[in-house]
Amino acid sequence: ATPTPTPEKAAEQKVELKLVNPGKLTVGSDVAYPPFEYTNQTTGEYEGFDIDLAKELAKRLGLELEVVNTAWDGIIPGLLAHKYDVIISAMTITEERAKQVSFSDPYFEAKQVILAKKGSGIKGVEDLAGKKVGVQLGTTGDFAAQKLIENGIEFELIKYEDTPSALMAIEKGDIDAAIIDNFVAYLAQKNNPDVFEVIEDKTFEPEYYGIAVNKDNPALLEAINKALKEMKEDGTYDKIYKKWFGE
Ligand code: ARG
């Protein structure tokens, strides 16, 4: 069994960690990405897999949680400018990003899929040729779309500031499809089966989400990795996973 940290230990840790706001874990997130982070329209509260993970992390670090809703485009600059301590925003660990920030151990496996308008006839990436394809600007979906174009599949790429705008554009018929993270696409399809259709394609490779931390804060990174590891070992991670994704 994992020893539960004593209040003294939590207090010790609080003092050690370099934080934007003392006593708080301040998290930057683009809170428009269900089921990972979104606003509950009834309560106004932030919810999602990442939010539960963030709550659990803060608890284990002996800190209060504060989530700062941040536009995706600018989320890394905001971290570098110390507007928050970490990014938890379904962010895929990439080599490019890792030049700017440190990533925690991976906490989630994902991949890109095509989210098409139902009845579009799109069956795989080749069928995107000649179509209008949306992505959220600066996401791995954006990068995957650019790669498809470089590989000779010609389509019009339209970039949106946030993912809900891309989904709305599909619904309205402004675009034919989007390239986005699988679990976000599957939830959209589940909520709106008459509008959306998810298409997988094996050209899309596995991606891993990580928590981004400033490179000048290795102590925080270490504390986060330790907490993540303990959450995986004691079943808390599985509990959160099952809550949002089932078995
Ligand atoms: N996983 C993708 C990426 O890292 C998309 C993440 C978008 N997250 C969000 N909260 N909008 O690029």
Side-chain angles (χ1 to χ4, degrees):
T2 344
T4 28
T6 59
E8 291 77 18
K9 259 194 182 158
E12 252 171 52
Q13 216 162 23
K14 233 189 268 182
V15 180
E16 276 169 30
L17 292 174
K18 195 163 69 182
L19 297 163
V20 171
N21 288 302
K24 279 188 183 175
L25 181 67
T26 310
V27 174
S29 186
D30 171 18
V31 189
Y33 209 61
F36 294 97
E37 42 265 336
Y38 62 94
T39 306
N40 179 313
Q41 292 308 328
T42 315
T43 63
E45 301 276 329
Y46 294 157
E47 292 180 352
F49 176 87
D50 280 347
I51 303 295
D52 280 351
L53 192 82
K55 282 181 185 161
E56 189 60 36
L57 268 181
K59 192 167 110 191
R60 286 175 192 238
L61 299 181
L63 301 169
E64 203 185 300
L65 175 66
E66 177 157 344
V67 177
V68 180
N69 196 358
T70 306
W72 181 258
D73 183 39
I75 202 163
I76 289 182
L79 179 71
L80 300 179
H82 297 278
K83 290 192 180 151
Y84 26 83
D85 301 303
V86 297
I87 298 168
I88 306 181
S89 197
M91 181 174 272
T92 301
I93 300 169
T94 70
E95 244 173 74
E96 271 311 296
R97 291 171 180 160
K99 288 178 188 163
Q100 292 183 282
V101 301
S102 295
F103 279 107
S104 71
D105 295 333
Y107 71 85
F108 200 90
E109 186 179 334
K111 65 180 175 211
Q112 298 304 308
V113 294
I114 300 166
L115 181 67
K117 176 121 191 176
K118 195 159 183 199
S120 70
I122 296 169
K123 294 273 168 280
V125 291
E126 274 79 22
D127 302 323
L128 295 176
K131 297 275 201 281
K132 284 186 181 174
V133 180
V135 293
Q136 183 178 7
L137 174 71
T139 59
T140 45
D142 184 1
F143 310 146
Q146 289 175 42
K147 206 166 136 193
L148 292 176
I149 295 171
E150 279 160 27
N151 291 339
I153 303 173
E154 276 179 49
F155 54 80
E156 188 184 338
L157 180 57
I158 299 152
K159 305 190 184 201
Y160 296 88
E161 291 290 328
D162 53 48
T163 288
S165 303
L167 300 193
M168 205 110 72
I170 298 175
E171 197 166 352
K172 283 198 289 180
D174 292 347
I175 57 175
D176 301 290
I179 299 178
I180 64 170
D181 293 19
N182 53 344
F183 285 97
V184 176
Y186 278 113
L187 181 64
Q189 176 182 252
K190 189 176 158 217
N191 290 342
N192 254 320
D194 298 335
V195 174
F196 297 118
E197 188 182 358
V198 177
I199 298 117
E200 301 207 7
D201 191 297
K202 49 183 183 322
T203 54
F204 299 124
E205 280 168 9
E207 299 182 10
Y208 298 91
Y209 298 166
I211 297 171
V213 184
N214 267 309
K215 280 192 192 281
D216 65 4
N217 205 346
L220 181 59
L221 181 69
E222 199 185 310
I224 285 172
N225 277 334
K226 184 167 168 279
L228 275 178
K229 188 164 177 270
E230 288 171 1
M231 281 166 63
K232 284 187 184 160
E233 284 168 358
D234 69 16
T236 309
Y237 178 91
D238 283 346
K239 226 173 92 189
I240 298 175
Y241 189 95
K242 279 191 188 126
K243 173 178 167 189
W244 293 98
F245 305 106
E247 295 305 304

